[in-house]
Amino acid sequence: LNADRTNVHTVAHILGSAVARLFDAPHSCLFVLDESSGRYYFVAEMTEEQRGSIGQQEILRLMKCQINNEGIAWLDTDHPLLHHLQSMTHPLPLSRVITTGIKQPDDKKPKHTQILEQPTHDPLIAPIFAQGIMIGIIAASARSDQPYAGPDREAMHLLQARVAPILETARLYEQAHRRAEMMNALYSSNRSDSLLSSEELRTTFAQCAADVFSAGAEFWLYDEHTHELKCCIHQG
């Protein structure tokens, strides 16, 4: 836990083991803040299984996560859960958070109440804070024998405090590692044993930028005759 290079997948694995021991809960999910997008992404315990287990997928469904074709799941910035998690001081059953956050326009009975108020099928959810910022979310699966009670919430509260500095260390390390990889890729594209033509140089840099940022990249040049910038290459 004190390793300087702990990654978020390792934290998810440790957290899953701790939740299983503390609460006898078969599954748990860890969400981690991506500051560039403001989203909270689900982190699998193993990089090879980013979709998670069947039990974890059920938690993602109950939390109404966005999931793309590659199985990557996240909570978007406008997800109603996030607003209430930001102000939570103690762990709560998922149904209480959802019914607080999703109401009818006329403030009548919250939506989904009949589905989510089954106590024996209610996950426990808790935010993880570091330096006043919610950097992650823990969700422990429902237990088949009994609902979560006060002592369970206190135990989860202690687990939040224990996990927070470890998760923040893992996040900062991975951010620094990604930035280093990006800079190395950008600088390495400028090294060549042969002199590249202007067109080859534009193509190389655009492709490198597309690869580094996993996005489309274009190279625009100024035309002195028309006094316009024109797109000369698109990659990605």
Side-chain angles (χ1 to χ4, degrees), residues 33-150:
L33 171 64
D34 173 51
E35 290 177 318
S36 62
S37 65
R39 294 173 170 176
Y40 289 80
Y41 282 92
F42 164 66
V43 178
E45 296 184 21
M46 298 177 61
T47 55
E48 300 83 6
E49 298 179 1
Q50 63 181 11
R51 294 177 182 269
S53 65
I54 294 176
Q56 288 175 321
Q57 291 172 23
E58 175 63 12
I59 298 175
L60 300 180
R61 185 190 68 79
L62 289 171
M63 293 179 67
K64 303 185 184 301
C65 294
Q66 299 279 349
I67 304 177
N68 65 12
N69 294 333
E70 287 73 39
I72 298 173
W74 69 90
L75 296 171
D76 235 330
T77 54
D78 59 351
H79 196 291
L81 272 177
L82 297 183
H83 172 73
H84 292 278
L85 284 165
Q86 293 277 4
S87 59
M88 279 171 51
T89 57
H90 280 75
L92 287 174
L94 178 60
S95 65
R96 283 189 57 184
V97 182
I98 289 183
T99 54
T100 301
I102 306 176
K103 294 180 179 294
Q104 298 283 7
D106 57 358
D107 286 331
K108 291 182 180 179
K109 192 174 182 180
K111 298 178 182 177
H112 314 300
T113 301
Q114 293 179 350
I115 297 175
L116 294 169
E117 284 184 348
Q118 302 173 23
T120 56
H121 298 282
D122 203 359
L124 188 65
I125 189 167
I128 305 173
F129 288 94
Q131 300 179 1
I133 299 173
M134 189 171 74
I135 61 169
I137 302 164
I138 307 171
S141 64
R143 298 186 295 197
S144 58
D145 55 345
Q146 58 182 334
Y148 290 103

Side-chain angles (χ1 to χ4, degrees), residues 114-211:
Q114 293 179 350
I115 297 175
L116 294 169
E117 284 184 348
Q118 302 173 23
T120 56
H121 298 282
D122 203 359
L124 188 65
I125 189 167
I128 305 173
F129 288 94
Q131 300 179 1
I133 299 173
M134 189 171 74
I135 61 169
I137 302 164
I138 307 171
S141 64
R143 298 186 295 197
S144 58
D145 55 345
Q146 58 182 334
Y148 290 103
D152 299 314
R153 298 179 195 179
E154 290 299 323
M156 178 66 88
H157 189 59
L158 294 173
L159 186 59
Q160 289 173 267
R162 180 68 206 258
V163 168
I166 304 161
L167 180 60
E168 181 66 346
T169 299
R171 285 180 66 249
L172 294 176
Y173 171 73
E174 291 199 350
Q175 287 177 10
H177 183 65
R178 282 198 300 270
R179 290 192 185 107
E181 284 186 333
M182 288 163 55
M183 296 306 296
N184 288 335
L186 288 170
Y187 281 118
S188 64
S189 66
N190 196 28
R191 300 176 187 146
S192 176
D193 295 332
S194 59
L195 186 63
L196 299 178
S197 67
S198 176
E199 183 178 355
E200 290 173 329
L201 202 59
R202 295 194 297 267
T203 302
T204 300
F205 272 103
Q207 185 60 58
C208 178
D211 292 341

